Protein backbone atom coordinates (compact mmCIF):
# COMPACT_ATOMS: atom_id res chain seq x y z
CA UNK A 1 0.00 0.00 0.00
CA UNK A 2 1.49 3.37 -1.04
CA UNK A 3 2.06 5.92 1.78
CA UNK A 4 1.40 9.41 0.57
CA UNK A 5 4.30 11.74 1.40
CA UNK A 6 3.19 15.38 1.68
CA UNK A 7 4.74 17.34 -1.19
CA UNK A 8 5.45 20.34 1.01
CA UNK A 9 6.68 20.70 4.53
CA UNK A 10 3.59 20.63 6.72
CA UNK A 11 5.08 23.15 9.18
CA UNK A 12 2.76 26.18 9.41
CA UNK A 13 3.62 28.63 6.61
CA UNK A 14 5.70 31.66 7.68
CA UNK A 15 4.86 35.27 6.83
CA UNK A 16 7.84 37.57 6.56
CA UNK A 17 7.64 41.31 7.21
CA UNK A 18 8.10 41.93 3.48
CA UNK A 19 5.16 39.65 2.64
CA UNK A 20 3.06 41.32 5.33
CA UNK A 21 3.73 44.82 3.97
CA UNK A 22 2.87 43.70 0.43
CA UNK A 23 -0.32 42.05 1.71
CA UNK A 24 -1.26 45.25 3.58
CA UNK A 25 -0.43 47.27 0.49
CA UNK A 26 -2.67 45.12 -1.75
CA UNK A 27 -5.49 45.27 0.79
CA UNK A 28 -5.37 48.98 1.61
CA UNK A 29 -3.41 50.75 -1.12
CA UNK A 30 -4.01 48.70 -4.30
CA UNK A 31 -2.65 51.53 -6.47
CA UNK A 32 0.56 51.88 -4.42
CA UNK A 33 3.73 51.72 -6.45
CA UNK A 34 5.73 49.79 -3.87
CA UNK A 35 7.93 52.76 -2.87
CA UNK A 36 6.50 52.63 0.66
CA UNK A 37 7.36 48.97 1.15
CA UNK A 38 10.81 49.64 -0.37
CA UNK A 39 11.24 52.42 2.21
CA UNK A 40 10.23 50.12 5.09
CA UNK A 41 12.74 47.52 3.87
CA UNK A 42 15.44 50.20 4.27
CA UNK A 43 14.52 50.58 7.93
CA UNK A 44 14.47 46.84 8.59
CA UNK A 45 17.86 46.46 6.88
CA UNK A 46 19.35 49.16 9.14
CA UNK A 47 17.92 47.47 12.24
CA UNK A 48 19.48 44.15 11.19
CA UNK A 49 22.84 45.90 10.86
CA UNK A 50 22.40 47.39 14.35
CA UNK A 51 21.17 44.10 15.78
CA UNK A 52 24.34 42.38 14.58
CA UNK A 53 26.39 44.92 16.55
CA UNK A 54 24.18 44.76 19.65
CA UNK A 55 24.48 40.95 19.76
CA UNK A 56 28.29 41.09 19.71
CA UNK A 57 28.76 44.42 21.50
CA UNK A 58 31.08 42.95 24.12
CA UNK A 59 33.36 41.56 21.41
CA UNK A 60 33.61 44.69 19.30
CA UNK A 61 34.86 48.14 20.04
CA UNK A 62 31.24 49.33 20.02
CA UNK A 63 30.56 49.70 23.73
CA UNK A 64 30.92 52.82 25.77
CA UNK A 65 30.85 56.48 25.02
CA UNK A 66 32.14 58.09 21.87
CA UNK A 67 33.12 61.12 23.98
CA UNK A 68 30.89 63.23 21.72
CA UNK A 69 27.91 65.15 23.06
CA UNK A 70 24.74 65.17 20.94
CA UNK A 71 22.18 67.91 20.47
CA UNK A 72 20.36 66.56 23.53
CA UNK A 73 23.42 67.38 25.62
CA UNK A 74 23.88 63.66 26.23
CA UNK A 75 27.05 61.56 25.84
CA UNK A 76 26.70 59.77 22.51
CA UNK A 77 27.36 56.07 22.86
CA UNK A 78 29.27 54.39 20.03
CA UNK A 79 26.22 52.29 19.26
CA UNK A 80 24.06 55.45 19.04
CA UNK A 81 26.32 56.66 16.26
CA UNK A 82 26.48 53.31 14.48
CA UNK A 83 22.68 52.88 14.54
CA UNK A 84 22.22 56.46 13.33
CA UNK A 85 24.68 56.00 10.46
CA UNK A 86 23.05 52.70 9.46
CA UNK A 87 19.61 54.34 9.17
CA UNK A 88 20.96 57.37 7.29
CA UNK A 89 22.83 55.07 4.88
CA UNK A 90 19.89 52.71 4.22
CA UNK A 91 17.30 55.49 3.91
CA UNK A 92 19.69 57.42 1.67
CA UNK A 93 19.39 54.50 -0.76
CA UNK A 94 15.60 54.99 -0.96
CA UNK A 95 14.74 57.71 -3.50
CA UNK A 96 11.27 58.07 -2.01
CA UNK A 97 12.70 59.55 1.23
CA UNK A 98 12.76 63.35 1.00
CA UNK A 99 14.05 64.21 4.47
CA UNK A 100 14.90 62.54 7.78
CA UNK A 101 15.30 63.70 11.37
CA UNK A 102 17.17 61.78 14.02
CA UNK A 103 17.64 62.18 17.74
CA UNK A 104 21.39 62.12 17.05
CA UNK A 105 21.44 65.03 14.60
CA UNK A 106 20.56 68.61 15.46
CA UNK A 107 19.11 69.44 12.04
CA UNK A 108 16.96 67.47 9.66
CA UNK A 109 18.90 65.79 6.81
CA UNK A 110 17.85 66.35 3.18
CA UNK A 111 19.21 63.95 0.58
CA UNK A 112 20.86 65.80 -2.33
CA UNK A 113 19.46 65.61 -5.81
CA UNK A 114 16.05 64.35 -4.74
CA UNK A 115 14.22 67.40 -6.10
CA UNK A 116 10.58 66.39 -6.41
CA UNK A 117 11.26 62.67 -6.08
CA UNK A 118 11.05 62.35 -2.32
CA UNK A 119 7.56 61.66 -1.00
CA UNK A 120 8.24 60.58 2.59
CA UNK A 121 9.60 61.98 5.85
CA UNK A 122 11.22 59.58 8.32
CA UNK A 123 11.99 60.55 11.92
CA UNK A 124 13.73 58.16 14.29
CA UNK A 125 15.50 57.44 17.53
CA UNK A 126 18.25 55.18 16.21
CA UNK A 127 19.17 53.68 19.54
CA UNK A 128 16.74 54.03 22.44
CA UNK A 129 17.87 53.18 25.96
CA UNK A 130 21.53 54.09 25.42
CA UNK A 131 22.25 54.02 29.14
CA UNK A 132 21.49 50.30 29.08
CA UNK A 133 23.80 49.28 26.24
CA UNK A 134 26.88 48.51 28.34
CA UNK A 135 24.96 46.41 30.85
CA UNK A 136 23.27 44.12 28.32
CA UNK A 137 19.74 45.37 28.98
CA UNK A 138 17.24 45.63 26.10
CA UNK A 139 17.60 48.65 23.82
CA UNK A 140 15.80 49.51 20.61
CA UNK A 141 15.16 51.64 17.53
CA UNK A 142 11.98 53.74 17.12
CA UNK A 143 10.71 55.18 13.80
CA UNK A 144 7.82 57.17 12.38
CA UNK A 145 6.96 57.74 8.71
CA UNK A 146 5.00 60.73 7.39
CA UNK A 147 4.21 62.14 3.96
CA UNK A 148 6.06 65.21 2.74
CA UNK A 149 3.36 67.91 3.05
CA UNK A 150 2.16 69.14 -0.38
CA UNK A 151 3.91 72.28 -1.55
CA UNK A 152 6.68 72.01 1.07
CA UNK A 153 10.25 71.96 -0.21
CA UNK A 154 12.43 69.92 2.19
CA UNK A 155 15.46 71.94 1.10
CA UNK A 156 13.80 75.32 1.68
CA UNK A 157 11.60 74.46 4.66
CA UNK A 158 12.96 71.39 6.45
CA UNK A 159 11.31 72.33 9.75
CA UNK A 160 7.79 72.33 8.29
CA UNK A 161 8.54 69.15 6.37
CA UNK A 162 9.43 67.31 9.58
CA UNK A 163 7.36 68.96 12.31
CA UNK A 164 3.94 67.37 11.79
CA UNK A 165 1.48 66.22 14.47
CA UNK A 166 1.22 62.52 15.22
CA UNK A 167 -2.15 62.10 13.50
CA UNK A 168 -0.31 62.63 10.21
CA UNK A 169 1.79 59.47 10.66
CA UNK A 170 1.51 56.91 7.86
CA UNK A 171 3.37 54.25 9.81
CA UNK A 172 5.27 53.85 13.07
CA UNK A 173 7.17 51.11 14.77
CA UNK A 174 10.08 49.98 16.84
CA UNK A 175 12.57 47.16 17.08
CA UNK A 176 13.47 45.93 20.56
CA UNK A 177 16.86 44.19 20.74
CA UNK A 178 15.99 41.97 23.68
CA UNK A 179 16.08 38.25 24.47
CA UNK A 180 14.90 38.05 20.88
CA UNK A 181 14.75 40.85 18.32
CA UNK A 182 11.18 41.91 17.68
CA UNK A 183 9.87 44.45 15.18
CA UNK A 184 6.42 45.91 15.97
CA UNK A 185 4.70 48.25 13.49
CA UNK A 186 1.44 49.76 12.39
CA UNK A 187 0.26 51.43 9.19
CA UNK A 188 -3.06 52.30 10.80
CA UNK A 189 -4.48 48.83 10.26
CA UNK A 190 -3.70 47.16 13.56
CA UNK A 191 -0.40 46.41 15.30
CA UNK A 192 1.71 43.45 14.23
CA UNK A 193 4.92 41.94 15.64
CA UNK A 194 7.70 40.07 13.85
CA UNK A 195 10.54 38.12 15.41
CA UNK A 196 13.92 38.14 13.66
CA UNK A 197 14.79 34.57 12.69
CA UNK A 198 18.62 34.59 12.56
CA UNK A 199 18.64 31.31 10.62
CA UNK A 200 17.01 33.02 7.62
CA UNK A 201 17.80 36.69 8.43
CA UNK A 202 14.15 37.67 8.10
CA UNK A 203 11.56 39.19 10.43
CA UNK A 204 8.82 36.54 10.70
CA UNK A 205 5.23 37.27 11.83
CA UNK A 206 4.91 36.19 15.45
CA UNK A 207 2.35 38.57 17.02
CA UNK A 208 -0.53 39.34 14.62
CA UNK A 209 -3.10 41.97 15.65
CA UNK A 210 -1.68 42.87 19.06
CA UNK A 211 -4.30 44.24 21.49
CA UNK A 212 -3.33 46.06 24.66
CA UNK A 213 -5.31 44.63 27.63
CA UNK A 214 -7.84 47.18 28.94
CA UNK A 215 -6.54 46.60 32.47
CA UNK A 216 -3.14 45.37 33.60
CA UNK A 217 -1.20 44.86 36.80
CA UNK A 218 2.02 46.73 36.12
CA UNK A 219 2.87 50.41 36.39
CA UNK A 220 6.16 51.76 35.06
CA UNK A 221 7.93 55.00 35.98
CA UNK A 222 11.28 56.12 37.38
CA UNK A 223 10.33 56.12 41.05
CA UNK A 224 13.55 57.99 41.96
CA UNK A 225 11.96 61.19 40.64
CA UNK A 226 8.64 60.70 42.49
CA UNK A 227 9.22 63.66 44.84
CA UNK A 228 9.57 66.02 41.85
CA UNK A 229 6.56 64.71 39.91
CA UNK A 230 3.60 67.15 39.80
CA UNK A 231 1.18 66.46 42.70
CA UNK A 232 -1.57 65.00 40.47
CA UNK A 233 0.86 62.35 39.24
CA UNK A 234 1.90 61.68 42.86
CA UNK A 235 -1.79 61.37 43.87
CA UNK A 236 -2.45 58.85 41.10
CA UNK A 237 0.64 56.74 41.83
CA UNK A 238 -0.06 56.70 45.58
CA UNK A 239 -3.65 55.57 44.95
CA UNK A 240 -2.42 52.90 42.52
CA UNK A 241 0.08 51.60 45.10
CA UNK A 242 -2.63 51.47 47.78
CA UNK A 243 -4.99 49.51 45.53
CA UNK A 244 -7.47 52.41 45.62
CA UNK A 245 -8.16 52.01 41.90
CA UNK A 246 -9.49 48.53 42.63
CA UNK A 247 -6.51 46.53 41.32
CA UNK A 248 -3.11 45.52 42.67
CA UNK A 249 0.05 46.48 40.77
CA UNK A 250 3.73 45.63 40.52
CA UNK A 251 6.35 48.18 39.47
CA UNK A 252 8.55 47.34 36.48
CA UNK A 253 10.97 49.91 35.05
CA UNK A 254 13.64 48.94 32.51
CA UNK A 255 14.76 52.44 31.55
CA UNK A 256 14.48 51.80 27.81
CA UNK A 257 11.23 53.23 26.46
CA UNK A 258 10.97 50.55 23.75
CA UNK A 259 11.21 47.75 26.32
CA UNK A 260 8.90 49.36 28.88
CA UNK A 261 6.38 50.12 26.15
CA UNK A 262 6.64 46.66 24.54
CA UNK A 263 5.77 45.08 27.89
CA UNK A 264 2.86 47.55 28.37
CA UNK A 265 1.60 46.79 24.85
CA UNK A 266 1.55 43.04 25.50
CA UNK A 267 0.55 42.95 29.19
CA UNK A 268 -1.32 46.23 29.68
CA UNK A 269 -0.83 48.57 32.63
CA UNK A 270 0.59 52.08 32.39
CA UNK A 271 3.94 53.77 31.64
CA UNK A 272 4.59 57.31 32.79
CA UNK A 273 7.42 59.77 32.20
CA UNK A 274 6.05 62.84 33.99
CA UNK A 275 7.56 66.33 34.17
CA UNK A 276 10.47 66.34 36.67
CA UNK A 277 12.71 69.02 38.16
CA UNK A 278 15.44 67.93 35.71
CA UNK A 279 13.08 67.73 32.72
CA UNK A 280 10.14 70.10 33.42
CA UNK A 281 8.64 69.26 29.98
CA UNK A 282 9.28 65.55 30.41
CA UNK A 283 12.31 63.77 28.96
CA UNK A 284 10.90 61.89 25.99
CA UNK A 285 10.90 63.46 22.53
CA UNK A 286 7.59 64.07 20.79
CA UNK A 287 8.50 63.37 17.17
CA UNK A 288 10.45 60.14 17.41
CA UNK A 289 9.51 58.63 20.78
CA UNK A 290 6.07 59.76 21.99
CA UNK A 291 4.31 59.99 18.59
CA UNK A 292 5.24 56.53 17.27
CA UNK A 293 4.49 54.98 20.67
CA UNK A 294 1.14 56.80 20.78
CA UNK A 295 0.17 55.63 17.25
CA UNK A 296 0.93 52.02 18.20
CA UNK A 297 -0.87 52.32 21.56
CA UNK A 298 -4.04 53.72 19.96
CA UNK A 299 -3.99 51.15 17.17
CA UNK A 300 -3.74 48.42 19.84
CA UNK A 301 -6.75 49.81 21.75
CA UNK A 302 -4.85 51.88 24.34
CA UNK A 303 -4.25 55.61 24.72
CA UNK A 304 -1.37 58.10 25.09
CA UNK A 305 -1.41 61.63 26.51
CA UNK A 306 1.00 64.25 27.81
CA UNK A 307 -1.07 64.16 31.02
CA UNK A 308 -3.77 66.36 29.48
CA UNK A 309 -3.66 66.28 25.68
CA UNK A 310 -3.78 63.36 23.25
CA UNK A 311 -0.12 62.99 22.21
CA UNK A 312 -0.98 62.63 18.52
CA UNK A 313 -2.75 66.01 18.42
CA UNK A 314 0.17 68.04 19.78
CA UNK A 315 1.49 70.44 17.14
CA UNK A 316 5.33 70.27 17.29
CA UNK A 317 7.24 73.53 17.72
CA UNK A 318 10.79 72.09 17.65
CA UNK A 319 12.30 68.96 16.12
CA UNK A 320 13.66 67.71 19.45
CA UNK A 321 10.76 68.94 21.56
CA UNK A 322 10.23 66.98 24.79
CA UNK A 323 6.82 66.08 26.23
CA UNK A 324 5.54 64.25 29.30
CA UNK A 325 4.24 60.79 28.30
CA UNK A 326 1.49 58.70 29.89
CA UNK A 327 0.61 55.61 27.85
CA UNK A 328 -1.31 52.45 28.66
CA UNK A 329 -4.52 50.45 28.60
CA UNK A 330 -7.85 52.30 28.68
CA UNK A 331 -8.59 51.16 32.26
CA UNK A 332 -5.42 52.68 33.73
CA UNK A 333 -5.59 55.74 31.46
CA UNK A 334 -9.13 56.39 32.68
CA UNK A 335 -8.04 56.00 36.31
CA UNK A 336 -5.10 58.36 35.69
CA UNK A 337 -7.39 60.97 34.14
CA UNK A 338 -9.70 60.89 37.18
CA UNK A 339 -6.83 61.60 39.56
CA UNK A 340 -5.13 64.03 37.20
CA UNK A 341 -8.22 66.20 36.83
CA UNK A 342 -9.33 65.86 40.49
P1 LIG B 1 17.62 57.52 24.57
O1 LIG B 1 18.54 56.44 24.99
O2 LIG B 1 17.18 57.41 23.14
O3 LIG B 1 18.14 58.90 24.92
O4 LIG B 1 16.25 57.34 25.38
C1 LIG B 1 16.32 57.12 26.75
C2 LIG B 1 14.98 57.43 27.33
C3 LIG B 1 13.99 56.28 27.21
O5 LIG B 1 14.48 55.19 26.52
C4 LIG B 1 13.70 55.89 28.65
O6 LIG B 1 12.34 55.67 28.85
C5 LIG B 1 14.18 57.09 29.46
O7 LIG B 1 15.20 57.70 28.69
C6 LIG B 1 14.75 56.69 30.77
O8 LIG B 1 15.06 57.91 31.43
P2 LIG B 1 15.54 57.87 32.96
O9 LIG B 1 16.88 57.19 32.93
O10 LIG B 1 15.60 59.32 33.34
O11 LIG B 1 14.50 57.11 33.73
MN1 LIG C 1 15.09 57.22 23.18
MN1 LIG D 1 18.35 57.40 21.45
Amino acid sequence: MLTRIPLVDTKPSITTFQQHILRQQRAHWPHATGTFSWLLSGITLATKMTEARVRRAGLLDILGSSNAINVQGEHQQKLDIYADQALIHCLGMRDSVAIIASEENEDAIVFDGRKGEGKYVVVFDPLDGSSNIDVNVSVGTIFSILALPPGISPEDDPQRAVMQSGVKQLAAGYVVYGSSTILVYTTGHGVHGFTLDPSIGAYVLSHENIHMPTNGNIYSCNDAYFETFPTNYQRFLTALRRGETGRSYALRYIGSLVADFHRTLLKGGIFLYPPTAKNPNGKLRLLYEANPVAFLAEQAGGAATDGRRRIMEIEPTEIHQRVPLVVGGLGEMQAFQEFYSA
Side-chain angles (χ1 to χ4, degrees):
M1 207 261 284
L2 273 179
T3 39
R4 287 183 51 72
I5 297 168
L7 292 180
V8 290
D9 188 332
T10 50
K11 273 204 307 282
S13 68
I14 65 167
T15 300
T16 66
F17 181 59
Q18 285 302 84
Q19 287 164 325
H20 197 269
I21 303 171
L22 293 175
R23 198 184 295 167
Q24 293 248 325
Q25 195 167 285
R26 273 197 299 276
H28 306 297
W29 301 283
H31 308 298
T33 58
T35 51
F36 187 68
S37 46
W38 175 234
L39 188 174
L40 276 167
S41 71
I43 293 175
T44 52
L45 175 60
T47 65
K48 290 178 193 172
M49 292 163 68
T50 299
E51 193 269 347
R53 289 294 183 297
V54 167
R55 292 286 163 242
R56 291 179 298 136
L59 305 173
L60 307 168
D61 179 23
I62 195 93
L63 287 179
S65 168
S66 68
N67 298 322
I69 305 281
N70 65 9
V71 62
Q72 321 285 339
E74 294 158 347
H75 277 288
Q76 274 187 316
Q77 302 299 301
K78 291 174 191 165
L79 207 54
D80 280 328
I81 296 173
Y82 180 83
D84 186 47
Q85 293 301 315
L87 275 160
I88 293 171
H89 171 77
C90 293
L91 290 171
M93 313 281 271
R94 267 69 184 168
D95 294 344
S96 61
V97 178
I99 186 169
I100 60 177
S102 159
E103 177 199 9
E104 300 303 332
N105 299 276
E106 179 158 10
D107 302 316
I109 298 170
V110 181
F111 293 112
D112 295 338
R114 291 270 160 94
K115 266 230 179 299
E117 271 178 61
K119 293 193 295 189
Y120 299 109
V121 177
V122 185
V123 296
F124 54 84
D125 176 358
L127 210 288
D128 174 67
S130 306
S131 61
N132 281 325
I133 294 169
D134 290 3
V135 292
N136 203 36
V137 169
S138 298
V139 294
T141 297
I142 313 172
F143 62 89
S144 169
I145 303 172
L146 307 113
L148 180 67
I152 298 287
S153 150
E155 292 80 1
D156 304 335
D157 201 345
Q159 300 268 339
R160 279 181 61 198
V162 164
M163 293 195 309
Q164 301 180 54
S165 61
V167 289
K168 301 275 181 54
Q169 293 175 96
L170 299 175
Y174 59 81
V175 172
V176 55
Y177 310 107
S179 45
S180 58
T181 296
I182 293 188
L183 164 71
V184 174
Y185 93 123
T186 183
T187 58
H189 300 279
V191 177
H192 312 284
F194 300 77
T195 299
L196 182 62
D197 180 340
S199 65
I200 57 173
Y203 282 106
V204 176
L205 184 62
S206 52
H207 301 68
E208 189 158 26
N209 284 317
I210 300 175
H211 282 281
M212 195 188 286
T214 304
N215 288 295
N217 297 100
I218 295 172
Y219 74 96
S220 185
C221 66
N222 189 329
D223 202 53
Y225 305 143
F226 181 86
E227 296 312 322
T228 71
F229 289 167
T231 48
N232 39 21
Y233 285 88
Q234 291 178 342
R235 238 189 351 259
F236 169 69
L237 290 166
T238 304
L240 206 67
R241 287 173 180 149
R242 291 178 182 160
E244 289 169 9
T245 63
R247 299 176 66 85
S248 60
Y249 287 85
L251 169 62
R252 292 285 185 277
Y253 191 68
I254 301 165
S256 299
L257 173 63
V258 276
D260 281 317
F261 176 69
H262 187 64
R263 181 203 55 244
T264 307
L265 183 69
L266 296 184
K267 292 184 174 267
I270 190 166
F271 170 90
L272 310 95
Y273 205 108
T276 63
K278 190 178 162 197
N279 288 295
N281 294 316
K283 177 183 181 185
L284 301 174
R285 277 62 50 129
L286 173 60
L287 283 184
Y288 42 80
E289 289 176 313
N291 268 342
V293 158
F295 191 11
L296 289 158
E298 292 194 7
Q299 280 291 310
T305 73
D306 69 347
R308 288 179 301 111
R309 299 170 294 173
R310 181 184 174 213
I311 287 285
M312 294 210 324
E313 289 177 353
I314 298 174
E315 284 300 334
T317 52
E318 288 164 37
I319 290 184
H320 301 293
Q321 169 179 350
R322 295 176 192 266
V323 289
L325 176 63
V326 184
V327 58
L330 291 185
E332 278 79 19
M333 292 300 284
Q334 181 60 38
F336 171 81
Q337 214 50 54
E338 282 157 21
F339 282 87
Y340 185 87
S341 328

